Amino acid sequence: MMMDTDVAPDVSVDLKCFHCGQTCEETLWLDDKAFCCYGCKTVYEILNSNNLCQYYDLDKNPGIQLKHKSDETYAYLNEKDIRKKLLDFDSDTFAKVNFFVPAIHCVSCIWLLENLHKIEPGVLRSEVHFTKKTVSVDFNPQLVKLSTIAQLLASVGYIPKITLEDHIADKPKTDRSLVMKLSLAGFCFGNIMLFSFPEYLGIDHSEKDLMRIFSWLNLALAIPVFFYSGFDYITSAFKSFKQKQVNIDVPIAAGLIALFVRSGYDIITATGAGYLDSFTGLVFFLLIGRWFQNKTYESLAFDRDFTAYFPLAVNRLEESEWRPVVIYKLRRGDQIRIRNMEIIPADSKLLDAFAYIDYSFVTGESKPVKALQGDIVYAGGRLIGTPVTLAVEKQTSQSHLTSLWNNDAFKKIEESKYQKIIDRAARRFTWIVLGIAFITAIYWQITEPSSMWLVLTSVLMVACPCALALAAPFTLGSMLRILGKKQLYLKNADVIERMATIDAIVFDKTGTITHGDEPNISFTGELQEEDPGRIKLLTSYSTHPLSMLITKHLKYLSKDAVQDFKELPGQGIQATVAGKVYKIGSAAFTGFRYKIDQEASHVFIAIDDKVKGYFVIKTSVRKNMKGMLQRLGRKCTALLSGDNETDKEQMKKLFPASTQMLFNQSPQDKLDYIAALQRQGKKVMMIGDGLNDAGALRQSDVGLAVTDDTGIFTPACDGILYGAHITQLCRILKFAQSSSVILKIGFGISFFYNAIALSFAVTGHLTPLVAAIIMPISSISVVGFSTLAVKIAASRIKV
Amino acid sequence: MGIITLLITISITIAVVFLAVFYWNMKNGQYDDTYTPSVRMLFDDKPALPEKSSPEKTDKNQVHA
């Protein structure tokens, strides 16, 4: 292969990377194509040498940038225990594995991942599941190792996410049974309608026998609908009856039973045609509502716990050899080795001289902490810099961080927390219907006792609040879809109802208000043209967090030779480049003697003992946050940050004056704060990211996790919000509030139809034909109204 | 009359067969992923000819640059 690669620093016009489409900072060239980094170039090389460049024709710049590539190896996948957990099927010559690959995003991804066998002959077949973002690979274990496949995926930019959690419990497939029930109900409904047509049109008396056949066929078709499709309503009604509560399923079940029993009686005694068309239609519509509401985002997980954050395995010292081991097998005293950017899996003691640990994940503190030999480092911290050796102190499940999950907030059942609007409406509705039924029964008992039962069942039949039960699923379901398009993914439709009642919002700082890992860096002072390149060259040797930020910030790397490089811990770095002495570090180290503001971190530059200027490193706030926070006004209750108070002044300018600001908050403090607000009767929404907010997110009435990349694991929450859309928050809340108005109007419409139908029933004029007309009309008008109203609300509020 | 009963029997039998087929497909996971197959059918396997594909690629490159 041609390797005519060279760095071309003079081309600074916006060149787009051929692989990933990002603007190139330092351009690498290969085959006349520009690449932004070695990662992208390597992927291109792999694809090119395997004749897979069709990848680039299917979609424009489809690649995934590999800048933050970790040197993770997948050797641990070959361990017996892990292999067993991961593989769906395993034999000598055939094995099947399913990887979750969050990076899957376009047509090219599908094409490349399904052509893996062209790169690696041991792969027999690979198939992408786009909505779940998984790729299932069939391979021959004699030809290729599991670790090689994972490595291959990673090398072309599709890093598989492998965690313990995914393989502990497989998701139950309730979804499918709902569709089966729905399709059965639809099937029976259609056929019963067909057989009921002669009845609607008024059949000749000479064809009475045919009528009987049709009726019996209808009954036969209705039986599976009653005992399979609609049986959930009846069991649910019984359950709520036992708990002495009335929910929406109680009047529905009463209506269904009344319809089925009365129709059965009519048909068996040959007194009428029955109401089975209405009955099956009802069940069909109700199930459609349920199905519509069950919008799920398959590639997102809303209830991950800490285990998702931890690596699957870690290298442990076994008889003077480092061997991968599953983390739950770690015991006290084990020696483990952690590399750059890896997460520490258990509370341990540091055996090496020093290490920088980034706890932003766990505590929200943005600056990495320096640990010295003998210090305890906590599980969940991320190592920055050179590899270190640790001695395990506690098992993962008992670590400092994971103890948060023992809190009650993680144990309570969510259902009982909120009384749904629909159930409140249903309770009132049920009592009214029962009252009407009772009065009617008495009236008919006195005037015409023979038809009392017929009228009573008619009343119960039409009172079945099908339209009422449809209003909520369609209103909330449509909202869920609209919000999903705006990249707010909610766990389920109930969240919208809870969101409408929110009167206190609590924010996290790092990653929510500010960009987590993208600080704002500026330089004050004057530098010569060649200096930035040399500074980058020097800082790139250092693992100090500030050095790393500067390395990332500066564009071009100088090629000059470095002499006498020295790193003085706690002070800075010093080296000679092209005859000049460069000092990069603290004020004292470089000889800077003026006062500067304390809000930000500073790195000073001195060349030949003359201070040339300094870098100011400030946390960067997301765009347009101020306007949104001011509009929220008093609802903005608090800012809880695990970080120190450096940013306090900056935050004060951002938030309304009434907002409380608390810093140095532990995850437990955050949870307690939310609980205290709730005791004051507030409905609290928590907006945060990372594990440090996990407790608060769980405790709050609505917990939204903010993320800039949905591929990254988010803590257990009610919804996942894309970082760029956080400024939409006040609109989203307004939109959610409009749901209650829409629901109430929907209820009104369904009551109106119920009143008409009841007037027929009470007077004893309800015929199968009347029932068959009124029921679908009421359902369709409620569904139509809810969907339309939600669309109008969305366009008016401009969500 | 007799013919109607026969027709109804046939129609119901056919309908039930289709329902059964639908269930069978669903259990096999045919409806689990509705997006990927729609894209997959559009991929065509080009014959692997590196000589032929290189001028094409340079064209592409000019567009990107």
Side-chain angles (χ1 to χ4, degrees):
Chain A
M1 168 146 311
M2 283 193 306
M3 293 296 278
D4 50 351
T5 312
D6 66 333
V7 182
D10 49 315
V11 189
S12 56
V13 254
D14 275 2
L15 263 178
K16 292 273 192 303
C17 175
F18 180 67
H19 179 69
C20 69
Q22 304 271 331
T23 311
C24 300
E25 287 176 359
E26 41 182 288
T27 318
L28 304 165
W29 293 91
L30 181 70
D31 297 351
D32 293 334
K33 294 175 180 71
F35 295 96
C36 66
C37 58
Y38 283 99
C40 290
K41 195 175 75 95
T42 318
V43 178
Y44 171 75
E45 279 170 27
I46 296 173
L47 298 186
N48 195 25
S49 62
N50 286 291
N51 257 312
L52 290 174
C53 280
Q54 197 190 339
Y55 180 61
Y56 298 103
D57 301 337
L58 290 165
D59 217 325
K60 235 182 173 184
N61 311 116
I64 296 109
Q65 205 181 23
L66 278 178
K67 255 191 177 165
H68 310 292
K69 192 183 172 186
S70 67
D71 49 354
E72 191 178 357
T73 56
Y74 295 91
Y76 64 84
L77 291 180
N78 296 331
E79 289 294 304
K80 226 178 162 188
D81 287 344
I82 302 172
R83 232 182 103 90
K84 220 168 110 189
K85 268 198 178 339
L86 285 178
L87 292 183
D88 295 334
F89 181 82
D90 195 9
S91 75
D92 284 347
T93 53
F94 182 83
K96 199 177 169 75
V97 67
N98 217 356
F99 285 120
F100 176 51
V101 184
I104 294 176
H105 67 284
C106 69
V107 178
S108 286
C109 304
I110 299 174
W111 183 81
L112 179 61
L113 291 175
E114 299 202 336
N115 278 296
L116 282 181
H117 58 93
K118 290 190 181 157
I119 308 179
E120 176 55 66
V123 173
L124 303 171
R125 201 175 75 104
S126 47
E127 198 176 286
V128 173
H129 191 305
F130 191 79
T131 40
K132 277 189 188 154
K133 302 202 176 187
T134 58
V135 52
S136 102
V137 182
D138 301 351
F139 63 101
N140 184 340
Q142 284 174 343
L143 293 176
V144 62
K145 283 183 186 160
L146 186 58
S147 61
T148 320
I149 295 174
Q151 196 84 60
L152 172 67
L153 285 173
S155 70
V156 289
Y158 296 93
I159 298 166
K161 287 264 177 189
I162 305 163
T163 59
L164 268 178
E165 190 207 38
D166 292 342
H167 302 280
I168 290 170
D170 273 8
K171 280 177 197 165
K173 284 174 183 167
T174 44
D175 206 20
R176 214 174 259 176
S177 80
L178 178 63
V179 177
M180 286 175 79
K181 283 173 184 169
L182 174 63
S183 54
L184 182 79
F187 172 82
C188 296
F189 173 50
N191 281 295
I192 289 176
M193 278 243 285
L194 217 62
F195 296 139
S196 302
F197 254 112
E199 169 75 23
Y200 300 159
L201 302 174
I203 202 162
D204 224 316
H205 274 279
S206 57
E207 308 262 299
K208 258 241 158 95
D209 288 342
L210 202 60
M211 279 292 298
R212 294 283 296 150
I213 293 175
F214 284 151
S215 298
W216 280 101
L217 275 172
N218 283 350
L219 189 59
L221 284 166
I223 287 169
V225 176
F226 184 80
F227 286 101
Y228 179 61
S229 300
F231 212 67
D232 281 352
Y233 290 98
I234 292 158
T235 45
S236 154
F238 261 102
K239 262 185 212 158
S240 78
F241 228 69
K242 266 188 194 164
Q243 292 166 354
K244 291 179 183 157
Q245 274 177 346
V246 176
N247 65 8
I248 183 75
D249 290 341
V250 172
I252 290 178
L256 291 183
I257 293 172
L259 273 166
F260 186 70
V261 172
R262 166 77 183 273
S263 306
Y265 173 81
D266 281 357
I267 290 168
I268 292 166
T269 58
T271 44
Y275 302 81
L276 292 172
D277 46 348
S278 305
F279 165 71
T280 44
L282 248 164
V283 175
F284 181 58
F285 283 125
L286 286 169
L287 289 174
I288 285 186
R290 260 196 195 179
W291 175 71
F292 187 78
Q293 193 180 20
N294 272 9
K295 164 93 187 150
T296 48
Y297 301 99
E298 287 181 273
S299 64
L300 300 177
F302 294 99
D303 20 51
R304 289 189 187 282
D305 66 0
F306 57 91
T307 49
Y309 283 83
F310 289 120
L312 194 68
V314 68
N315 277 320
R316 180 172 68 177
L317 190 66
E318 279 172 25
E319 292 153 16
S320 71
E321 204 183 333
W322 294 104
R323 295 200 51 181
V325 61
V326 195
I327 59 161
Y328 60 76
K329 283 197 170 173
L330 287 179
R331 293 289 173 266
R332 198 189 144 95
D334 282 353
Q335 280 194 29
I336 54 172
R337 196 157 178 81
I338 305 288
R339 282 163 304 174
N340 185 21
M341 299 309 277
E342 276 185 353
I343 290 181
I344 297 161
D347 294 358
S348 341
K349 201 191 278 176
L350 182 65
L351 297 179
D352 290 348
F354 71 95
Y356 284 103
I357 317 274
D358 171 12
Y359 284 116
S360 58
F361 231 28
V362 195
T363 60
E365 162 77 51
S366 61
K367 279 182 199 149
V369 175
K370 189 175 178 180
L372 295 171
Q373 193 166 25
D375 284 357
I376 297 286
V377 292
Y378 295 105
R382 190 188 281 278
L383 182 77
I384 293 178
T386 47
V388 293
T389 312
L390 306 170
V392 175
E393 286 285 317
K394 278 179 190 166
Q395 288 176 31
T396 306
S397 56
Q398 289 158 11
S399 69
H400 180 67
L401 161 74
T402 53
S403 59
L404 182 69
W405 271 264
N406 298 327
N407 190 288
D408 286 342
F410 289 92
K411 287 175 191 153
K412 69 181 163 210
I413 309 143
E414 228 166 276
E415 278 301 307
S416 59
K417 215 158 100 178
Y418 185 79
Q419 182 76 48
K420 289 185 203 164
I421 290 184
I422 186 77
D423 288 336
R424 270 180 282 160
R427 194 175 311 147
R428 225 172 296 158
F429 182 84
T430 312
W431 290 121
I432 294 172
V433 168
L434 283 180
I436 293 174
F438 187 66
I439 293 166
T440 322
I442 290 175
Y443 173 79
W444 283 87
Q445 183 68 37
I446 294 163
T447 51
E448 205 184 325
S450 60
S451 49
M452 192 276 281
W453 280 106
L454 293 183
V455 175
L456 185 62
T457 45
S458 306
V459 170
L460 288 177
M461 265 160 27
V462 290
C464 182
C466 175
L468 190 71
L470 284 175
F474 275 90
T475 308
L476 302 178
S478 316
M479 285 190 155
L480 205 66
R481 281 169 174 76
I482 286 172
L483 291 174
K485 273 185 207 149
K486 305 290 167 190
Q487 292 179 308
L488 167 61
Y489 307 102
L490 296 178
K491 189 172 163 185
N492 56 41
D494 298 344
V495 179
I496 298 176
E497 256 188 74
R498 277 184 270 148
M499 214 148 86
T501 60
I502 292 300
D503 52 9
I505 306 173
V506 176
F507 290 91
D508 165 54
K509 193 192 68 154
T510 319
T512 307
I513 301 291
T514 64
H515 289 286
D517 50 354
E518 252 178 70
N520 191 352
I521 303 177
S522 60
F523 184 77
T524 318
E526 261 179 58
L527 285 177
Q528 308 249 274
E529 207 181 314
E530 70 274 10
D531 287 335
R534 292 178 182 163
I535 292 168
K536 179 170 174 142
L537 184 66
L538 297 180
T539 52
S540 67
Y541 290 132
S542 161
T543 52
H544 190 280
L546 289 177
S547 302
M548 288 166 79
L549 288 175
I550 293 172
T551 314
K552 216 171 132 188
H553 170 69
L554 293 171
K555 280 190 175 175
Y556 304 117
L557 194 65
S558 157
K559 278 180 172 174
D560 297 326
V562 179
Q563 289 167 329
D564 308 328
F565 181 84
K566 261 192 286 182
E567 180 160 10
L568 305 157
Q571 298 185 54
I573 46 181
Q574 183 180 352
T576 312
V577 184
K580 287 188 198 168
V581 179
Y582 283 79
K583 275 184 169 183
I584 303 166
S586 68
F589 178 62
T590 49
F592 186 82
R593 282 176 233 294
Y594 304 96
K595 233 185 141 181
I596 35 156
D597 81 311
Q598 293 299 314
E599 265 184 50
S601 310
H602 297 84
V603 174
F604 298 88
I605 310 288
I607 300 170
D608 286 338
D609 282 332
K610 257 191 213 150
V611 178
K612 295 283 178 187
Y614 51 86
F615 286 98
V616 183
I617 299 166
K618 252 187 175 175
T619 351
S620 70
V621 175
R622 286 184 196 277
K623 273 184 198 156
N624 306 327
M625 282 304 278
K626 191 171 177 175
M628 190 273 290
L629 292 170
Q630 299 293 341
R631 255 174 282 143
L632 284 175
R634 295 206 68 83
K635 272 190 190 170
C636 236
T637 310
L639 171 79
L640 302 180
S641 177
D643 212 345
N644 54 37
E645 294 196 8
T646 354
D647 291 328
K648 194 168 183 176
E649 288 306 311
Q650 203 184 350
M651 290 297 132
K652 262 193 179 159
K653 281 178 212 153
L654 219 58
F655 278 87
S658 58
T659 310
Q660 206 179 352
M661 291 197 191
L662 299 169
F663 292 87
N664 299 313
Q665 297 283 300
S666 75
Q668 186 68 46
D669 292 341
K670 291 188 180 187
L671 196 159
D672 294 341
Y673 185 86
I674 305 271
L677 277 180
Q678 283 171 331
R679 275 195 296 277
Q680 292 169 27
K682 298 225 175 194
K683 298 269 179 255
V684 189
M685 177 189 249
M686 171 77 201
I687 299 171
D689 74 317
L691 274 184
N692 59 321
D693 302 315
L697 287 172
R698 188 63 197 238
Q699 176 69 40
S700 62
D701 295 281
V702 177
L704 292 187
V706 176
T707 175
D708 290 306
D709 174 6
T710 42
I712 290 176
F713 289 131
T714 41
C717 58
D718 297 308
I720 297 173
L721 176 64
Y722 227 66
H725 296 285
I726 190 170
T727 48
Q728 300 269 331
L729 194 68
C730 53
R731 288 204 184 126
I732 290 170
L733 282 179
K734 230 186 225 168
F735 185 52
Q737 279 157 9
S738 69
S739 73
S740 67
V741 180
I742 297 172
L743 274 180
K744 275 174 194 156
I745 300 176
F747 291 168
I749 295 175
S750 79
F751 281 133
F752 169 70
Y753 281 106
N754 273 114
I756 295 178
L758 272 173
S759 67
F760 277 98
V762 171
T763 51
H765 289 95
L766 187 81
T767 60
L769 186 61
V770 172
I773 292 170
I774 284 187
M775 286 197 182
I777 286 184
S778 69
S779 301
I780 287 166
S781 54
V782 165
V783 168
F785 167 77
S786 325
T787 337
L788 206 72
V790 168
K791 281 226 168 100
I792 292 169
S795 69
R796 268 185 50 190
I797 303 171
K798 296 195 188 71
V799 183
Chain B
M1 164 79 193
I3 201 75
I4 285 188
T5 354
L6 183 69
L7 283 174
I8 286 170
T9 327
I10 294 172
S11 79
I12 286 202
T13 320
I14 293 174
V16 168
V17 167
F18 273 99
L19 185 71
V21 169
F22 175 71
Y23 273 17
W24 178 39
N25 289 341
M26 197 160 52
K27 284 226 159 133
N28 275 334
Q30 201 178 83
Y31 303 102
D32 284 359
D33 185 4
T34 47
Y35 180 74
T36 329
S38 72
V39 179
R40 195 179 291 137
M41 61 177 268
L42 299 174
F43 298 148
D44 41 8
D45 286 321
K46 277 186 194 164
L49 288 172
E51 296 86 9
K52 201 186 157 193
S53 60
S54 58
E56 207 179 302
K57 258 184 275 161
T58 25
D59 278 3
K60 191 93 188 167
N61 186 48
Q62 275 159 8
V63 178
H64 284 287

